[in-house]
Every structure is written in structure tokens, then in C-alpha cells.
Amino acid sequence: MPSPTHRAQRRTDALSRERIVEAAVELLDTAGESGLTFRVLTERLATGAGAIYWHVANKGELLAAATDAVVAAALEPGESQGSPRDEIRAVALGLFDAIDAHPWLATQLSAQFSRSPWGSVTPRIFERIGREVGALDVPRESWFTATSALVHYILGAAAQNAANAAGARELDPRVDRAGFLDAAAKAWEELDPDEYPFTRAVAAQMRVHDDREQFLGGVDLVLAGITTR
């Protein structure tokens, strides 16, 4: 008959770090950061807290691991896009879609960049984009600035898009994206023409814009500035 120590070791082996992180991502997607607790996690994994702590020291480490797992999947190289510019656009869209699919990700990315840039997430993103920046013949002394500009635009614009979607749902779950944009455009069109001539002029464009196309248009603008310089 196996000893208690042997049984505990088998349970620990079965409950891998990858499985814990996968369950954490699922909880974050459905319940947000506040819903990710070790108590709920132990219930979902049908295990004890000790088995989880064997792999993950605390919630902060678990959030970092979940963030890294989602980012790694988003940055996983796919079929070659050809030119460095096309590769950057593909990477940007991968991050855009990941942030859109995981509402908690934008906040965690911001925290990772500001609090622990030496962790795995920041170098992973910088490396993936920076290699392509170097391939664009950007001078070596400008690599950090150029890559930073791209990364900040990509993450910031993607985060704002996710926030817009979340905000629209909170205002009225029955209103779809088209209805929300139409209401916003009408409000812009009714602004004072002397104080807001530009905002009124672009209201119709805002009403019909495509989020992904607009996002990629911004990436192209940053790239145009980088390559021109």
C-alpha cells in the first residue's frame, strides 16, 4: 500500500503548474481579478491549498504566470508574414485580440511593465517586436525608443478598445456596438459647431469605423514615423 508521502507526491505531480495557471486564466476571464482566490481555485481543481502553494507562492505570482501564459500564446510565431512590417502588424493583432478576449489582461500588463520590467512578460514582448524593428534597418541607437513607441501604442490602444467594449456593456447590456457608436456619433454631431468643429466633422467616421482596422492604421502610422526617421 502506498505511503501517505507517496500519495501526496503523486497528487502534486498530477497538479502541474501549467494546469493551475490554465484554471487561473479561466477564473480571471469569468470572474475578474477579485474572483481569483485560492479557495475558489482549490475547489475548481479539486485539491488542497497546499498542493497549489507547492507550485505558486502567492496570488501575485499566479497573476504574473497567467499574464505570461496568455502573452506567450498571443506571441507564438505562426506562418511567416514576410516583411518585418507585416510581422509587426501580425504581432500587434495577436496582442490586440488577446487583450480583447481577456478583459483583465490590460491591467496586468500595465502592472508588469511598471512594477517588474525584469519579469518574463516585458522582455518577451520587447524581444518579439524589437527583432522586427531591427530588421527594418532602424539605427541601433534608436532600437529602444522605436520599440517602446510601438509597444506603448499597441498595448495602450488595445487596452482602450477593451475598456470601450466593457464600458458599453456596463451601460446597457442590450445595446450592441453599432448602437453604442451611433449614440455617441449623434452626441458629437450635436456639439456646438464653433467650439467643436473637428469633433463634429469626424462623428460620421467614428460611427462606422472598424476597431481592428483603426488599430492597424495606428500601427502603420508609428511604423511610418520609425522608418522615415
Side-chain angles (χ1 to χ4, degrees):
M1 179 176 181
S3 68
T5 301
H6 184 64
R7 288 198 301 269
Q9 183 63 50
R10 284 199 308 182
R11 284 198 301 271
T12 302
D13 291 342
L15 185 65
S16 66
R17 180 182 173 90
E18 289 75 18
R19 187 178 163 208
I20 293 170
V21 170
E22 182 180 345
V25 170
E26 292 173 357
L27 274 174
L28 286 164
D29 288 347
T30 56
E33 184 179 339
S34 62
L36 177 62
T37 67
F38 276 61
R39 179 184 62 80
V40 175
L41 197 57
T42 56
E43 292 174 357
R44 172 162 294 206
L45 292 170
T47 188
I52 294 178
Y53 282 116
W54 177 270
H55 295 281
V56 182
N58 51 51
K59 183 174 179 178
E61 182 180 329
L62 183 56
L63 283 167
T67 302
D68 187 55
V70 172
V71 169
L75 297 180
E76 194 169 290
E79 184 177 342
S80 175
Q81 301 299 307
S83 71
R85 183 185 294 268
D86 289 337
E87 289 287 350
I88 289 172
R89 284 167 57 92
V91 170
L93 269 183
L95 289 169
F96 180 90
D97 290 340
I99 291 172
D100 186 56
H102 305 281
W104 52 274
L105 185 58
T107 300
Q108 289 306 313
L109 283 171
S110 177
Q112 291 289 319
F113 268 71
S114 61
R115 298 175 190 171
S116 57
W118 47 80
S120 59
V121 172
T122 304
R124 191 187 295 279
I125 294 174
F126 259 76
E127 183 67 25
R128 187 72 177 85
I129 295 175
R131 287 188 184 186
E132 304 303 332
V133 169
L136 287 170
D137 294 328
V138 174
R140 190 181 186 92
E141 62 271 18
S142 298
W143 281 2
F144 176 71
T145 298
T147 303
S148 293
L150 270 167
V151 169
H152 291 157
Y153 169 76
I154 290 168
L155 298 185
Q160 186 59 58
N161 176 77
N164 291 345
R169 288 192 298 268
E170 289 173 5
L171 285 174
D172 189 343
R174 297 167 299 177
V175 177
D176 61 11
R177 177 182 180 278
F180 180 81
L181 290 179
D182 183 61
K186 286 179 179 176
W188 282 16
E189 289 166 345
E190 292 171 2
L191 291 170
D192 186 285
D194 294 325
E195 291 189 47
Y196 300 98
F198 174 82
T199 305
R200 284 168 52 93
V202 299
Q205 296 174 33
M206 189 264 283
R207 177 185 280 114
V208 298
H209 83 277
D210 180 89
D211 293 328
R212 287 164 64 89
E213 288 181 5
Q214 182 190 48
F215 171 73
L216 284 177
V219 171
D220 288 340
L221 286 173
V222 177
L223 285 171
I226 289 172
T227 53
T228 300
R229 182 179 179 187

